[in-house]
């Protein structure tokens, strides 16, 4: 069975204005068949900061720590080896959660539009394809167009956004036409410009299938970091208390064996 190997890394620099508690979501997610060799370093004012790890559902990891005022530097590196295995059927709880409205995906407010636009497709997978096509064609990828409070309704009206906005809109429209959908934070080899990336998984075909309406990176090369309802669950850094500003961010993600795969962004793909 073929093993897919990837190397990912990130470097973040914050200015901490007042003592802050962080929940960091940059560590590669854990899953059956995945081997992760990784290192995380957190340094504040030239002092190593103690970090503890919390494991959540879907293989999510959060690194928790507190930082004193001053400069904070974070670096993460991982080599990931994925051995494809049998796909797991979505559980009843996962399906229920993936149908509910959430902070950035107000599906209940967009049901009328979504049903009129996409409800005519009897096949759920075709419904998702039509939604992804619509979002790709009607949004303009604009790095400065949205902010931390922008939800899918805002994005639909504005017609602009970044990857998380594309993902929120796709997930919202899918839920509004009764297709379970969740948001996944990933490292994305081939993405340009390189950044943390957000995509969508839908429960179609008896398994979770991944979709990327930005079409900026091949889906079969993506490396899962965290899975959740929306960006509130999958953010790469959340400040739980205090205040800190992100000054610098550098991301790298490469495929170690062979070339980047091709992707027509229409055929079903399963995210490892």
């Amino acid at each position: 069975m073929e093993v897919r190997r990837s190397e990912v890394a990130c470097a973040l620099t914050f200015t901490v204005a007042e003592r802050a508690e962080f929940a960091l979501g940059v560590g590669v997610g854990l899953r059956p068949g995945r081997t992760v060799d990784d290192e995380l370093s957190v340094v504040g004012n030239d002092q190593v900061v103690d970090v503890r790890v919390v494991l959540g559902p879907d293989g999510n990891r959060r690194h928790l720590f507190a930082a004193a005022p001053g400069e904070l530097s974070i670096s993460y590196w991982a080599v990931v080896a994925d051995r494809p295995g049998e796909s797991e059927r979505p559980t009843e709880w996962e399906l229920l959660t993936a149908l509910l409205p959430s902070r950035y995906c107000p599906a209940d407010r967009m049901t009328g539009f979504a049903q009129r636009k996409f409800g005519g497709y009897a096949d759920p997978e075709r419904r998702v394809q039509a939604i992804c096509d619509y979002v790709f064609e009607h949004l303009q990828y604009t790095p400065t167009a949205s902010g931390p409070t922008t939800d899918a309704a805002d994005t639909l009206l504005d017609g602009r956004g970044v990857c998380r906005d594309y993902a929120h809109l796709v997930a919202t429209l899918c839920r509004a036409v009764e297709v379970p959908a969740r948001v996944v934070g990933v490292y994305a080899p081939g993405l340009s410009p390189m950044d943390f990336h957000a995509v969508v998984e839908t429960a179609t075909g008896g398994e979770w299938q991944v979709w990327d309406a930005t079409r900026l990176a091949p889906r079969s090369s993506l490396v899962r970091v965290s899975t959740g309802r929306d960006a509130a669950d999958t953010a790469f850094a959340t400040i739980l208390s205090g205040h800190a500003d992100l000054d610098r961010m550098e991301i790298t993600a490469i495929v170690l064996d062979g070339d980047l795969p091709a992707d027509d962004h229409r055929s079903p793909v399963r995210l490892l």
Side-chain angles (χ1 to χ4, degrees):
M1 186 178 296
E2 183 179 356
V3 175
R4 188 190 73 187
R5 297 193 309 132
S6 309
E7 182 175 348
V8 302
C10 70
L12 311 173
T13 301
F14 289 86
T15 296
V16 181
E18 59 181 82
R19 186 181 185 277
E21 294 184 347
F22 284 76
L24 198 64
V26 302
V28 170
L30 305 179
R31 59 171 292 275
R34 165 170 286 179
T35 302
V36 180
D37 179 12
D38 63 353
E39 296 179 358
L40 174 71
S41 171
V42 180
V43 177
N45 299 317
D46 297 324
Q47 299 292 320
V48 175
V49 176
D50 291 333
V51 178
R52 62 189 182 93
V53 182
V54 176
L55 299 178
D58 301 310
N60 294 348
R61 288 189 289 170
R62 289 295 179 271
H63 293 86
L64 306 181
F65 59 88
E71 184 177 281
L72 178 72
S73 298
I74 299 166
S75 63
Y76 175 76
W77 168 89
V79 169
V80 185
D82 280 311
R83 186 181 300 277
E86 294 292 329
S87 62
E88 296 183 9
R89 295 189 64 86
T91 67
E92 190 172 9
W93 181 260
E94 289 173 337
L95 294 175
L96 172 62
T97 303
L99 281 172
L100 298 176
S102 60
R103 166 66 180 86
Y104 295 106
C105 298
D108 52 337
R109 292 166 50 200
M110 299 173 69
T111 301
F113 170 82
Q115 289 288 351
R116 287 191 300 272
K117 197 77 178 175
F118 310 108
Y121 296 98
D123 177 40
E125 189 174 296
R126 182 67 188 92
R127 226 174 295 164
V128 177
Q129 289 175 341
I131 288 170
C132 291
D133 289 345
Y134 177 87
V135 172
F136 173 75
E137 293 164 3
H138 286 79
L139 292 192
Q140 179 181 356
Y141 194 94
T142 309
T144 59
S146 61
T149 64
T150 302
D151 68 14
D154 299 323
T155 299
L156 180 64
L157 292 171
D158 191 39
R160 301 178 300 164
V162 293
C163 63
R164 80 171 225 161
D165 304 305
Y166 280 67
H168 284 158
L169 185 53
V170 169
T172 301
L173 294 174
C174 286
R175 294 174 193 176
V177 292
E178 302 168 0
V179 176
R182 61 190 189 182
V183 173
V184 186
V186 297
Y187 289 101
L191 185 67
S192 181
M194 183 56 69
D195 202 342
F196 290 112
H197 198 44
V199 295
V200 173
E201 282 185 312
T202 60
T204 41
E207 63 180 4
W208 290 108
Q209 297 174 348
V210 61
W211 307 88
D212 182 4
T214 72
R215 302 184 183 177
L216 290 176
R219 291 170 293 163
S220 58
S221 71
L222 302 178
V223 179
R224 185 192 302 269
V225 178
S226 55
T227 308
R229 299 163 299 170
D230 54 32
D233 295 335
T234 60
F236 68 87
T238 301
I239 299 173
L240 303 175
S241 66
H243 180 80
D245 294 313
L246 177 64
D247 298 323
R248 184 179 68 91
M249 178 172 68
E250 294 182 8
I251 315 296
T252 59
I254 60 174
V255 172
L256 290 177
D257 305 305
D259 299 325
L260 281 171
D263 191 352
D264 62 6
H265 287 283
R266 300 194 62 79
S267 304
V269 172
R270 181 165 60 93
L271 180 62
L272 300 179

